[in-house]
Amino acid sequence: MQGRTQFQPELFHTVNLDDFVPQNHLLRKIDAVLDLEFIYDLTSPLYCPDNDRASIDPALFFRMQIIGYLYGIKSDRKLCEDINLNLAYRWFCQLNLGDQIPDHSSLTRIRQRFGEQTFQRVFEQFIDRWIEAGLVTGKKLISDASLVDANASIDSMVERRNGDPDAKALKNYQQRYHIVFWEDIVRPARCDHPVYLIHRKTEPASYTGVFTRVI
């Protein structure tokens, strides 16, 4: 006999969000080693101590940012929508089903309040804790880049003379990153002056500066 679901919305639900997040989920693994208690002491000077209106939990803000970075969600509006929809995201942010997601405009104001220095200190604390947890070994650093068309004219390039105050800095940069002149590889017919280029093994990498270095 063919079955048919009869949907009847319930006024009240008794659910446990933890039951909806698989044990092998990435966010569950991160949450097991994530300790954000230090954020409260770090950001407390940035808030008014005698204002009765409570702010958005700073730890919640950084949990939301971690989700955005991990899953490539660049829009604050999209991030808030996805957290509201995805039970795993909501669980990671420690929000119950009835809890309201912060408005996307609030995320911008929080960034302005914290400033670059606070983000740098939080990032350094994250790295220290990941090293302690064995998630980061510090043995190898991998950097990647993408080939993007530049909105620049090759005719506008000029040769840097020895008297140029930036010549020494460019020379050091050349020695440090193994930069060679474009003329050593290929010189366009209409370009009669040297152009700096990072030389690598692969063709795309030679233009974008992709490299791997052991530290």
Side-chain angles (χ1 to χ4, degrees):
M1 183 178 70
Q2 183 186 57
R4 175 174 296 187
T5 300
Q6 299 294 332
F7 176 68
Q8 182 65 36
E10 297 180 359
L11 295 178
F12 303 98
H13 297 268
T14 302
V15 296
N16 185 2
L17 284 181
D18 190 76
D19 296 336
F20 293 92
V21 183
Q23 293 298 320
N24 61 347
H25 197 285
L26 175 61
L27 291 179
R28 186 181 287 277
K29 297 178 181 179
I30 294 176
D31 184 73
V33 296
L34 185 63
D35 182 8
L36 299 181
E37 286 297 322
F38 72 92
I39 287 181
Y40 297 106
D41 293 335
L42 185 64
T43 59
S44 60
L46 304 176
Y47 292 93
C48 180
D50 54 359
N51 190 339
D52 293 336
R53 183 181 178 183
S55 69
I56 295 174
D57 189 334
L60 169 60
F61 169 78
F62 281 102
R63 284 180 177 270
M64 295 177 66
Q65 299 308 300
I66 291 174
I67 292 176
Y69 294 146
L70 287 176
Y71 296 97
I73 308 174
K74 299 180 180 179
S75 168
D76 287 342
R77 187 186 299 270
K78 184 69 167 59
L79 176 62
C80 294
E81 291 176 354
D82 286 359
I83 293 176
N84 187 49
L85 176 65
N86 192 303
L87 293 180
Y89 294 175
R90 185 179 281 270
W91 172 87
F92 182 76
C93 291
Q94 300 180 345
L95 295 171
N96 291 314
L97 287 177
D99 293 336
Q100 185 176 2
I101 307 298
D103 188 78
H104 65 89
S105 61
S106 298
L107 303 184
T108 300
R109 291 194 290 270
I110 293 175
R111 290 193 189 93
Q112 294 172 348
R113 177 188 295 270
F114 287 173
E116 181 179 350
Q117 183 177 4
T118 299
F119 277 92
Q120 180 65 29
R121 294 175 64 185
V122 171
F123 176 76
E124 292 171 353
Q125 290 281 351
F126 279 164
I127 296 299
D128 291 341
R129 280 160 171 74
W130 291 339
I131 292 175
E132 294 175 0
L135 300 178
V136 178
T137 62
K139 294 181 178 179
K140 180 175 291 187
L141 172 66
I142 300 177
S143 177
D144 198 356
S146 299
L147 185 62
V148 179
D149 291 334
N151 186 20
S153 172
I154 198 170
D155 295 327
S156 65
M157 297 182 181
V158 295
E159 181 179 358
R160 293 190 179 274
R161 306 292 181 179
N162 292 332
D164 192 323
D166 295 328
K168 183 178 180 180
L170 285 173
K171 187 66 176 179
N172 293 336
Y173 188 80
Q174 176 185 355
Q175 295 175 350
R176 181 176 180 182
Y177 295 108
H178 311 292
I179 299 177
V180 298
F181 287 113
W182 195 348
E183 61 185 355
D184 296 334
I185 305 174
V186 58
R187 174 190 288 276
R190 61 193 182 102
C191 180
D192 56 358
H193 52 269
V195 178
Y196 286 102
L197 177 69
I198 298 180
H199 178 56
R200 298 299 170 197
K201 294 182 179 179
T202 61
E203 191 66 19
S206 66
Y207 291 97
T208 60
V210 180
F211 67 95
T212 301
R213 51 181 294 214
V214 177
I215 59 175

